[in-house]
Amino acid sequence: MALQRPDIEKIRKNVAQNEIWKSVFRHGYQDNQRNRALMVLDNVFLHLHPVRVARHGANIGYTWGMGGITFLLFIILTVTGVILMFYYRPVAEYAFDDMKYLMNDVAYGPFIRNMHRWAAHGMVITVMLHMFRVFLTGSYKPPRQFNWAIGVVLLLLTFLLSFTGYLLPWDQLAIWAVTVGTNMARATPLLGHEGPFGPQLGLKSNNDIRFVLLGGTTVGAATLLRFYVLHCIFLPIVAAVFMAVHFWRIRKDGGISGPKVESKEMKKARDVVKTMQIKRTDLLGGDDINGNGDPGTDPDSPNGTDPTNGTPHSPETRP
Amino acid sequence: MHGKLTAFDYLMSQIEKPDNVPALLLLTLAAFYIWHSWRRSKINDSRSTPVEAEMADKVQVWPYLVRVEFLTSIVVLIILTVWAITINAPLEEPANPALTPNPSKAPWYFLGLQELLVYFDPWIAGVMLPTLIIMGLIAIPYIDINPKGNGYYTIKERPFAQATFAFGFLVLWVVLIVMGTFFRGPGWNIFTPWEAWDPHRVVPLNNVDLPALVGVPTLNVDNTYNPLSIMIGAALILIFYSIGYFVWKKKQGTPFFKALGPIRYGVTAFLTLSMTGVVIKILLRLLLNVKYVLATPFFNI
Ligand code: HEM
């Protein structure tokens, strides 16, 4: 009995031509420009990106990939963090024992915890380096000023996330690091009982800003619960919202920053328009009917309008 | 305890503390990237158009960007996995509010600020300076009106901005973090990383206030504050910040300062002078044992 050679082409057709497959993947994977564009457009995750970017925007020597790595670490932290929450109770009596249990008796417990901790420290490092890169390439300059401000908020949120998490193991390292960190709060001018004008305003250790932060006069059970809720719910949600805005603004500000240059095609197009203008003005006896200086028009920017020029979306500035 | 520990053993014990590793990593990466951006700036500064301008043509995100992201993610995941397998997150003795460790250190990324506590009272080091850093960072895009250097590496076209930020980040942030992490031991005394921590070391504090250096004591004999000392201290600080005003007076006519305008200039001058002030205070302490420049019953600077 001769073994029949499987008809690859037919199998492929059967797999890729049925309703289930087609409902998931909406286009083929033939390597052409259209499918490459659709790969990005049809994918909810990839469509954070534009279809095309400037070549230096994909150059790791330019961006260092630091913003992207920061985001990747945030995702890793979310996943490992959820797993840690299965084993951890934010109660002073249990917290430390839960950590011991996780480190000694849970399969892959130490690995998950280590991933979470080192990703957190890594994120603090990469967010600082990302900011450094953005400064060095002057990428905060118009039109990206506001996205820089959002970035600063993200920097602060990253520190706060890391700091609130630092308390949760509830060991000596944790409570004393957080004690040292939050001791500063009592020196806040006007708000802390050891800050300038604090005592004069009647502030004591049980009614000042630090008391509000800790839920007590020292780092204790109330602080643990507060930091836990902030760490696992409030701060991640706020950070996620700010990241969404951050990414949205990157697109709306015209993509990754770069020197202002005219691409070859744009230059050609502009030359064509110029010659046409000359011809028309010649025909009409020299009147400049084009008004020549439409200041809102910049062919390089995403909407055909110059984003530095205020309102990129206002209809008046559209050509 | 042990037979005899060498300097190398102490050094390793500092480096091997799990939570010290990230500080070392930051130092290494910061050094690498300052070299990298320096090199890219030099290349751009020696050409008429920056390298980035020649890479401004568009490529398709799939595959040219997505593959970079994919590879980067794999590399990051590998590094993180190796790190998580080889170094365990620390878990010390259970929390004990009655037992204060010496030294008590904040997480490494705040050790720069904790280090500043040596030179400033907590309301400055722990509250005012962090606030100024955050507000100052947000202000940067609005006070830097130099249109050049937007979207490419350059030093020549914006030397002041690059130098100021690099100094602030590398020296006042990274170096102070390394200082607080590796060079501070019990009693927050200075120890080299290759030295044993002696918890009983006593360093005599003989710091004096700046006015006292010129013969004006801070306190009168009856322990009330000496108004002359307060006046001298306040005058010094006022004179320092008024440098900004005199520079403005002298330069306000020039095109650049006209374009900058008084508000932008004021904010820039205040932030730059404050940053310089931090450095000056650190030097005053290290070289002249100055405790405060201005000491009052309400606050000290
Ligand atoms: C959780 C923190 C952050 C995340 C996840 C994040 C993510 C990103 C990503 C993925 C990009 C694309 C380009 C790149 O990778 O470099 C980017 C660009 C940018 N980021 Fe962030 N970022 C964060 C924090 C910051 C901070 C702290 C700043 C500044 C203070 C900042 C300012 C900017 C600006 C201005 C851009 C546009 C840069 C350009 O067009 O060249 N971001 N960010």
Side-chain angles (χ1 to χ4, degrees):
Chain A
M1 230 175 39
L3 209 63
Q4 195 141 27
R5 217 169 138 260
D7 185 348
I8 303 280
E9 203 42 41
K10 193 160 164 233
I11 296 174
R12 210 183 64 83
K13 243 195 184 130
N14 283 342
V15 171
Q17 292 296 320
N18 69 60
E19 194 183 338
I20 298 175
W21 179 278
K22 285 210 296 205
S23 73
V24 181
F25 305 102
R26 295 209 174 272
H27 54 86
Y29 189 65
Q30 220 173 30
D31 191 15
N32 56 34
Q33 288 235 350
R34 191 183 125 82
N35 278 346
R36 285 178 174 190
L38 287 175
M39 280 311 283
V40 174
L41 286 175
D42 281 0
N43 184 305
V44 70
F45 303 109
L46 291 182
H47 101 284
L48 272 174
H49 302 103
V51 168
R52 300 186 312 145
V53 287
R55 191 147 53 89
H56 71 259
N59 171 251
I60 202 124
Y62 181 71
T63 64
W64 312 350
M66 276 304 160
I69 296 175
T70 309
F71 185 51
L72 173 70
L73 291 173
F74 182 73
I75 295 170
I76 295 173
L77 284 163
T78 311
V79 175
T80 52
V82 167
I83 300 174
L84 290 177
M85 284 172 80
F86 295 155
Y87 296 97
Y88 177 85
R89 291 163 291 177
V91 181
E93 286 82 28
Y94 300 148
F96 182 78
D97 291 339
D98 285 352
M99 296 305 287
K100 270 269 183 260
Y101 175 66
L102 183 84
M103 289 304 272
N104 296 327
D105 297 312
V106 176
Y108 295 102
F111 180 71
I112 295 293
R113 175 167 178 239
N114 295 347
M115 281 290 262
H116 192 76
R117 192 176 188 99
W118 303 139
H121 286 315
M123 186 172 166
V124 173
I125 296 174
T126 57
V127 73
M128 297 192 305
L129 292 175
H130 171 57
M131 181 179 73
F132 193 36
R133 185 292 283 181
V134 171
F135 189 92
L136 291 174
T137 56
S139 304
Y140 57 83
K141 299 189 177 197
R144 296 181 181 80
Q145 306 101 311
F146 187 61
N147 215 15
W148 168 273
I150 292 170
V152 177
V153 175
L154 281 170
L155 177 77
L156 192 62
L157 286 169
T158 308
F159 281 136
L160 290 178
L161 272 165
S162 199
F163 186 63
T164 49
Y166 214 83
L167 181 64
L168 304 186
W170 206 239
D171 61 350
Q172 280 290 73
L173 188 64
I175 67 157
W176 288 104
V178 170
T179 302
V180 170
T182 51
N183 269 348
M184 310 284 163
R186 59 172 139 212
T188 313
L190 307 174
L191 295 175
H193 75 280
E194 283 176 9
F197 308 108
Q200 287 83 355
L201 289 171
L203 290 178
K204 293 193 288 295
S205 64
N206 62 0
N207 64 1
D208 70 347
I209 178 85
R210 181 165 170 277
F211 183 81
V212 176
L213 209 67
L214 298 184
T217 52
T218 54
V219 175
T223 320
L224 181 60
L225 186 57
R226 265 170 212 220
F227 274 39
Y228 175 79
V229 173
L230 290 174
H231 183 76
C232 301
I233 300 172
F234 182 72
L235 292 170
I237 292 178
V238 176
V241 170
F242 272 89
M243 279 182 211
V245 179
H246 195 58
F247 299 158
W248 171 260
R249 284 298 295 231
I250 296 173
R251 294 288 303 276
K252 293 295 142 183
D253 292 341
I256 298 294
S257 59
K260 260 210 159 340
V261 283
E262 250 181 337
S263 63
K264 274 194 201 112
E265 300 88 49
M266 283 322 302
K267 204 173 166 81
K268 218 185 258 167
R270 186 171 282 184
D271 287 346
V272 171
V273 172
K274 251 196 195 128
T275 36
M276 278 163 56
Q277 281 174 347
I278 293 167
K279 278 189 188 137
R280 272 158 82 187
T281 43
D282 280 353
L283 278 173
L284 294 169
D287 279 352
D288 179 13
I289 55 154
N290 291 292
N292 231 347
D294 186 353
T297 316
D298 177 347
D300 261 341
S301 67
N303 302 306
T305 58
D306 182 357
T308 55
N309 231 325
T311 51
H313 293 288
S314 76
E316 301 87 58
T317 54
R318 287 242 170 99
Chain B
M1 275 190 308
H2 303 278
K4 46 178 183 279
L5 291 175
T6 62
F8 183 73
D9 294 328
Y10 290 119
L11 181 65
M12 284 319 286
S13 75
Q14 281 302 315
I15 294 176
E16 278 172 357
K17 272 189 198 159
D19 274 9
N20 283 357
V21 173
L24 215 55
L25 192 62
L26 171 68
L27 183 70
T28 317
L29 286 172
F32 170 75
Y33 279 116
I34 194 74
W35 168 77
H36 169 80
S37 51
W38 177 272
R39 199 181 44 116
R40 292 237 345 195
S41 302
K42 284 291 143 202
I43 294 174
N44 280 348
D45 287 346
S46 65
R47 303 157 46 110
S48 54
T49 50
V51 181
E52 287 82 358
E54 274 157 30
M55 299 168 74
D57 52 313
K58 300 270 173 137
V59 292
Q60 287 200 286
V61 161
W62 182 285
Y64 296 103
L65 178 57
V66 175
R67 75 177 176 200
V68 174
E69 293 174 344
F70 184 67
L71 286 174
T72 311
S73 306
I74 290 180
V75 171
V76 170
L77 272 169
I78 291 175
I79 293 174
L80 204 58
T81 307
V82 172
W83 191 356
I85 290 174
T86 50
I87 304 181
N88 264 345
L91 191 60
E92 300 186 347
E93 299 298 304
N96 182 355
L99 192 71
T100 313
N102 184 13
S104 288
K105 291 194 180 186
W108 62 269
Y109 40 83
F110 287 152
L111 286 187
L113 294 171
Q114 195 175 348
E115 176 65 19
L116 285 178
L117 278 174
V118 175
Y119 313 99
F120 294 97
D121 277 3
W123 72 277
I124 299 184
V127 185
M128 296 308 286
L129 289 178
T131 311
L132 272 183
I133 292 172
I134 296 293
M135 303 310 271
L137 283 173
I138 293 180
I140 284 175
Y142 303 100
I143 54 182
D144 179 2
I145 56 164
N146 178 2
K148 292 204 205 112
N150 182 348
Y152 52 96
Y153 290 92
T154 174
I155 295 173
K156 206 169 67 184
E157 295 179 17
R158 42 197 290 259
F160 177 73
Q162 300 288 47
T164 313
F165 196 83
F167 180 78
F169 178 64
L170 295 172
V171 178
L172 289 184
W173 191 254
V174 177
V175 169
L176 284 187
I177 284 177
V178 170
M179 185 77 195
T181 308
F182 293 106
F183 289 85
R184 291 290 184 182
W188 208 256
N189 289 321
I190 293 189
F191 289 85
T192 55
W194 49 86
E195 176 180 16
W197 277 5
D198 171 12
H200 304 296
R201 181 194 287 185
V202 180
V203 179
L205 284 181
N206 45 14
N207 295 331
V208 288
D209 297 334
L210 190 57
L213 271 190
V214 289
V216 182
T218 310
L219 297 177
N220 296 322
V221 272
D222 56 354
N223 264 353
T224 54
Y225 277 79
N226 179 355
L228 191 58
S229 160
I230 296 181
M231 261 146 59
I232 294 178
L236 285 174
I237 290 173
L238 224 67
I239 291 172
F240 177 65
Y241 274 100
S242 62
I243 292 175
Y245 174 75
F246 290 118
V247 171
W248 173 254
K249 268 273 159 250
K250 201 158 164 230
K251 298 259 190 144
Q252 75 192 126
T254 61
F256 177 75
F257 279 72
K258 268 211 176 100
L260 200 59
I263 295 178
R264 279 203 201 88
Y265 172 78
V267 175
T268 313
F270 174 71
L271 291 172
T272 319
L273 284 170
S274 301
M275 197 167 119
T276 320
V278 170
V279 179
I280 291 178
K281 181 74 198 286
I282 291 179
L283 292 178
L284 281 177
R285 168 65 58 85
L286 293 180
L287 301 177
L288 298 175
N289 287 327
V290 168
K291 190 166 167 61
Y292 297 121
V293 174
L294 167 64
T296 76
F298 308 105
F299 62 89
N300 310 304
I301 293 176

